[in-house]
Amino acid sequence: MLSENSLAADLFAAMVCCAVIFAFLLLWKETARRGVDQKLNRKLVHISIGLVFMLCWPLFSPGFRGATLAAITPGVNIVRMLLIGSGIWKDEATVKSMSRHGDYRELLKGPLYYAITVTLACAVYWRNSPIGIAAICNLCAGDGFADVVGRRFGKQKLPHNRNKSIAGSVAMATAGFLSSIGYMYYFSYFGYIQKSWGMVLGFLIVSLASALVESLPISTELDDNLTVTLTSILISSLIF
């Protein structure tokens, strides 16, 4: 029945996608409740949600409808962040798993920006464009691993920003680049994009540029969920 009705297939795919993402959110809520380090737990959410979400994209049909229905999942999360961050919906486990200091109002900043950027990357660029891949991979894998590695191995600080480390910046560029390559092969397997060495080089440049911007003091002031994503999209648009 689903193979004969593309709308029904897309709606089913949207339900599966939502179920997968919210299963991961419940997992990280539970680990936060069980006492996993709050900073690490927050970054596990940051790294996993966007990347797992992209894995679900081949479930949907091509074109505008598939992209729109796929974007519903992070779109629902935008509403969640607004409700929880404004205090209308009380959810301490979510606050603990996503905030830096346990303040529910923090969800109106980084976590909300994260949900918005992932939603827009899906709806606007979809799976046929390396721009969406670069934006989400550098935001999720790049920025996420920068913090995890930087906290553990970041004794040597950057000369232009003592709050950032060389290890963190290297980890960000590496994770963003390697995950972009992984998704290039993943989407090319389904025929959505054509993998090439030129695309590999483009992903490297985007990841290096994103890591550079993330290392600047302005990223801390504006929130790196915004600066990293905007940098990835801008550089990618010039390259691809």
Side-chain angles (χ1 to χ4, degrees):
M1 180 184 69
L2 292 177
S3 63
E4 295 175 357
N5 190 328
S6 60
L7 176 58
D10 277 337
L11 291 174
F12 180 75
M15 289 189 291
V16 171
C17 187
C18 282
V20 170
I21 294 303
F22 282 99
F24 269 84
L25 290 173
L26 288 174
L27 170 65
W28 301 132
K29 285 172 65 175
E30 185 61 26
T31 56
R33 188 181 291 115
R34 291 178 179 270
V36 172
D37 179 75
Q38 185 172 351
K39 293 177 180 177
L40 175 61
N41 201 84
R42 185 173 64 86
K43 283 303 173 180
L44 290 175
V45 175
H46 187 100
I47 293 168
S48 64
I49 298 303
L51 297 181
V52 171
F53 173 55
M54 273 208 297
L55 286 176
C56 297
W57 288 6
L59 295 173
F60 295 87
S61 65
F64 177 77
R65 188 182 67 203
T68 302
L69 289 174
I72 287 176
T73 298
V76 169
N77 214 33
I78 292 175
V79 177
R80 287 182 68 243
M81 295 302 102
L82 289 171
L83 292 175
I84 298 172
S86 61
I88 297 174
W89 180 1
K90 304 296 182 182
D91 190 340
E92 292 301 323
T94 295
V95 173
K96 189 174 182 180
S97 67
M98 293 188 179
S99 65
R100 293 177 183 270
H101 306 105
D103 186 345
Y104 66 88
R105 290 169 294 188
E106 293 180 50
L107 271 64
L108 295 177
K109 297 180 181 178
L112 177 60
Y113 301 153
Y114 179 99
I116 291 173
T117 53
V118 170
T119 302
L120 291 178
C122 172
V124 175
Y125 297 106
W126 197 212
R127 60 198 183 194
N128 305 104
S129 171
I131 299 175
I133 295 175
I136 293 180
C137 285
N138 284 287
L139 169 65
C140 300
D143 186 47
F145 277 104
D147 187 80
V148 173
V149 174
R151 290 183 185 279
R152 184 169 179 82
F153 303 105
K155 294 182 179 179
Q156 191 169 355
K157 303 299 181 181
L158 294 169
H160 58 278
N161 187 353
R162 306 306 295 177
N163 293 320
K164 303 286 185 178
S165 67
I166 294 176
S169 292
V170 171
M172 176 170 181
T174 303
F177 172 62
L178 292 180
S179 59
S180 297
I181 297 303
Y183 276 94
M184 177 189 74
Y185 277 97
Y186 180 64
F187 286 141
S188 68
Y189 174 80
F190 293 97
Y192 303 141
I193 60 175
Q194 185 67 44
K195 63 181 183 292
S196 68
W197 285 109
M199 190 176 292
V200 171
L201 178 60
F203 283 137
L204 177 60
I205 294 172
V206 174
S207 294
L208 290 173
S210 298
L212 174 61
V213 170
E214 192 271 344
S215 74
L216 300 175
I218 191 174
S219 273
T220 303
E221 296 173 6
L222 293 179
D223 193 286
D224 49 19
N225 287 335
L226 287 177
T227 58
V228 168
T229 306
L230 291 175
T231 300
S232 297
I233 291 175
L234 175 61
I235 302 301
S236 296
S237 298
L238 295 173
I239 294 174
F240 299 119

